[in-house]
Amino acid sequence: MGPRLPSASPSLQALKAGVLRRRPAIRRAGRPLFPYPTAARASLWIGVAVVAALFAWGAWQRRWIADDGLIVLRTVRNLLAGNGPVFNEGERVEANTSTAWTYLMYVGSWVGGPVRMEYVALALALTLSVLGVALLMLGAGRLYAPSLRGRRAIMLPAGALVYIALPPARDFATSGLESGLTLAYLGLLWWMMVCWSQPVRGRVNGRAFTAALAFVAGFSVLVRPELALMGGLALIMMLIAARTWRRRALIVVAGGFLPVAYQIFRMGYYGLLVPGTALAKDAAGDKWSQGMIYLANFNAPYSVWIPVALLVPLGVLLVVSRRHPAFLRPLPAPDYGRLARAVQSPPAAVAFVLVSGLLQALYWIRQGGDFMHGRVLLAPLFCLLAPVAVVPVMTPDGVDYSRETGYWVAGVTGALWLGVAGWSLWAANSPGMGDDATHVTYSGIVDERRFYAQATGHAHPLTAADYLDYPRMAAVLTTLDNTPDGALLLPSGNYIQWDLVPMARPAPGAAPGGQEPQKPQHTVFFTNLGMVGMNVGLDVRVIDQIGLANPLAQHTERLKHGRIGHDKNLFPDWVIADGPWVKLYPGIPGYLDDNWVAQAVAALQCPETKAVLASVRAPMSLHRFVSNFLHSYEFTKYRIDRVPLYELARCGLPIPEPAPPPPRE
């Protein structure tokens, strides 16, 4: 038997006992990472269920599919038909802002089979919207969970009530746009960032979670381009907090592979650095004054400043009265820097989501907002409400502070919450924009859902067929049937007819040159791309004057005083010049000028303009893809003048001889 080791001294035993008492408990399998008090856990899940149910019910009462939502479905139809991610066959234009929503709708429509695309969009948008609010609340609940350990508390919905009370939030929970996907993404990223910010023993520090979080953060730009402000900030925080270069490499690869791969595809396939919608609306431009008008238009009907004035002191009170549990202190692992520890912490997660919301709001105000009431400010508000989506109300126990102070804190918290709940009840029943909701006034902003409900006569315009009751829509189908030889359709002042420009035919007796006769073509030139594009066949080309699906209009300059979201306006002369249409009176409507058309024809010979059009119309090949990729920057920056005569001067081209004025009636 070897020598007996001396027993530990009493002081050493006491030190070991103290260390063991402070050592974080290792999480057992099957147990929650942060054990909530029973009342807090139950109240949190009840609150999530109630808020989700109220939001779903409120959104269903206001269900609809916007014209812009139908634009996405036209692209999905082309994908399903094998024409690629385009709006018009043979013309590579990215008419949708959200890449992720386009392909999610493609998968949903493929799986749905015979189910109408509109119903697939409705179901996906509503489900994702409700999921986003639930994740927002669960993220906030997780944020407060550590400080509630061993305390009696209940969790009450606060910021979540504010969001679902706003009528625009319920409008755009459906709408067929990517708003629902945006909410689900923001809720997921917030929840994951809170998990990441609490570095306790468990799985949240593992490679799988790190890779998943980096992937979600990098995915932001595919949900909406401006969300790269948020996803990029999350990736920067992760890189700062990473302990090894191997972990940093994992973050870069997981976060950057998909967005970089799609960006290469976009540059090679579409010949642009940004989505076509961003080019059409000059998303990098600024209209500060219009942005302030948009902000006021969002605030005024609902007095959004009231819940802000209530939630800010409520948040401050939660910060002041919070507990710093010992098991959230950094583990005794290798010291990887004070900055890294500060970045990977709950306060940093809160700062992350607040800064992200403010940056998004600032971007949209700078850009000028939107023409849809409240739409683009919903996501920034969603982020700003995240830290107080739910709030804990703790029962005084005399441990952290005296019972008198505890009752005072609980009372103030309860009073502020009652104020938020009262405002939410009032705002949920607000008339919104009132009499101006469906009128395009000087602001250019309308309540889009009410506008289309009134214009179509359907309380819930959901399908493309519902939009046939919109002015001019039924006449589109009639006119297409009555022009079997092809025609260009231009909107007239009469809502039940369209002005026509026939296809140009070879002169009598002219030799065809061995070429096959040109097949009849139809083109519809109209602003409302969605309702037209979903009610006509894919063989009908549908273009607009503001550039969402028109490569020529995309590259015009933004009008300084144009209606927001409709800042570009291409003259129909260009459309006639750009197609196989008759270019002289009486083939063109009497309100157009033959000389303008002739000048547009000449201006289209500008070498730079021809190169831009070839980038989207020439057959796709490896050479074309590489050429588009290399020239995507200059194609994105390229602009033409909407006045043909000025465009000729810009390109240094000769002005055609004016045609003799034809006799007109």
Side-chain angles (χ1 to χ4, degrees), residues 277-640:
T277 52
L279 181 62
K281 299 182 180 183
D282 267 350
D286 63 89
K287 284 192 173 183
W288 285 102
S289 59
Q290 177 63 31
M292 296 306 296
I293 292 172
Y294 189 78
L295 178 63
N297 177 270
F298 178 54
N299 169 72
Y302 321 109
S303 299
V304 180
W305 64 269
I306 293 178
V308 172
L310 295 170
L311 290 173
V312 168
L314 182 57
V316 171
L317 187 61
L318 292 173
V319 171
V320 172
S321 61
R322 76 190 189 279
R323 176 189 286 182
H324 302 276
F327 69 91
L328 272 186
R329 295 171 186 162
L331 298 176
D335 187 355
Y336 56 100
R338 181 177 300 177
L339 178 61
R341 292 196 301 272
V343 166
Q344 191 173 0
S345 66
V350 172
F352 155 77
V353 75
L354 293 179
V355 170
S356 297
L358 289 173
L359 286 176
Q360 291 178 59
L362 186 65
Y363 165 78
W364 282 114
I365 292 172
R366 178 185 183 274
Q367 204 268 341
D370 192 39
F371 62 94
M372 300 187 194
H373 170 62
R375 177 198 169 202
V376 296
L377 291 180
L378 290 174
L381 179 65
F382 195 74
C383 293
L384 295 174
L385 294 172
V388 289
V390 297
V391 294
V393 179
M394 288 162 281
T395 304
D397 54 11
V399 175
D400 296 285
Y401 31 72
S402 68
R403 287 186 177 274
E404 292 180 0
T405 304
Y407 282 120
W408 181 84
V409 171
V412 173
T413 302
L416 291 172
W417 181 84
L418 286 174
V420 170
W423 174 89
S424 299
L425 184 62
W426 169 79
N429 297 281
S430 167
M433 292 180 63
D435 295 337
D436 287 338
T438 58
H439 298 98
V440 183
T441 61
Y442 74 96
S443 71
I445 305 167
V446 297
D447 183 327
E448 196 82 347
R449 184 189 63 83
R450 288 175 60 185
F451 176 87
Y452 281 119
Q454 176 180 288
T456 62
H458 296 274
H460 305 288
L462 287 173
T463 65
D466 291 338
Y467 280 92
L468 288 175
D469 294 320
Y470 188 81
R472 294 191 177 95
M473 283 303 99
V476 169
L477 303 185
T478 301
T479 306
L480 291 175
D481 288 339
N482 292 338
T483 53
D485 294 332
L488 166 65
L489 280 63
L490 302 175
S492 71
N494 189 334
Y495 283 173
I496 60 172
Q497 72 180 40
W498 288 75
D499 291 334
L500 299 178
V501 180
M503 287 187 65
R505 298 296 178 186
Q515 298 180 355
E516 295 183 3
Q518 194 171 17
K519 295 181 180 179
Q521 299 180 33
H522 287 96
T523 295
V524 182
F525 182 61
F526 195 49
T527 305
N528 301 90
L529 292 171
M531 61 180 73
V532 176
M534 283 298 289
N535 278 302
V536 302
L538 296 179
D539 58 329
V540 177
R541 185 168 177 252
V542 181
I543 56 175
D544 63 322
Q545 71 268 37
I546 61 178
L548 297 179
N550 187 339
L552 270 176
Q554 274 183 358
H555 290 276
T556 57
E557 292 286 354
R558 189 183 193 188
L559 298 175
K560 183 177 181 181
H561 299 292
R563 183 190 176 195
I564 190 66
H566 301 69
D567 307 78
K568 298 185 177 182
N569 189 4
L570 189 73
F571 295 121
D573 310 75
W574 288 94
V575 182
I576 297 173
D578 189 40
W581 320 114
V582 173
K583 295 172 175 54
L584 296 172
Y585 184 85
I588 63 175
Y591 52 80
L592 297 180
D593 190 326
D594 309 60
N595 291 315
W596 274 53
V597 175
Q599 290 165 8
V601 171
L604 287 174
Q605 299 307 308
C606 184
E608 293 85 357
T609 303
K610 292 175 68 175
V612 167
L613 292 178
S615 71
V616 298
R617 293 176 179 173
M620 179 50 61
S621 62
L622 179 60
H623 179 270
R624 170 55 53 190
F625 187 94
V626 173
S627 176
N628 282 358
F629 179 86
L630 296 177
H631 295 91
S632 56
Y633 175 78
E634 58 190 86
F635 290 161
T636 304
K637 292 292 184 181
Y638 185 68
R639 296 292 184 273
I640 66 174

Side-chain angles (χ1 to χ4, degrees), residues 150-223:
R151 305 178 72 175
R152 295 190 299 272
I154 60 172
M155 305 285 277
L156 296 177
L161 284 180
V162 172
Y163 185 81
I164 70 169
L166 291 168
R170 302 197 300 278
D171 287 347
F172 291 102
T174 54
S175 82
L177 296 166
E178 71 280 353
S179 301
L181 176 62
T182 300
L183 292 192
Y185 173 80
L186 294 176
L188 177 62
L189 183 57
W190 160 243
W191 178 80
M192 294 184 75
M193 285 298 289
V194 172
C195 294
W196 175 79
S197 71
Q198 299 168 333
V200 298
R201 294 185 187 275
R203 298 179 180 177
V204 296
N205 287 323
R207 292 181 182 176
F209 182 86
T210 300
L213 177 56
F215 176 82
V216 171
F219 195 72
S220 59
V221 70
L222 300 180
V223 177

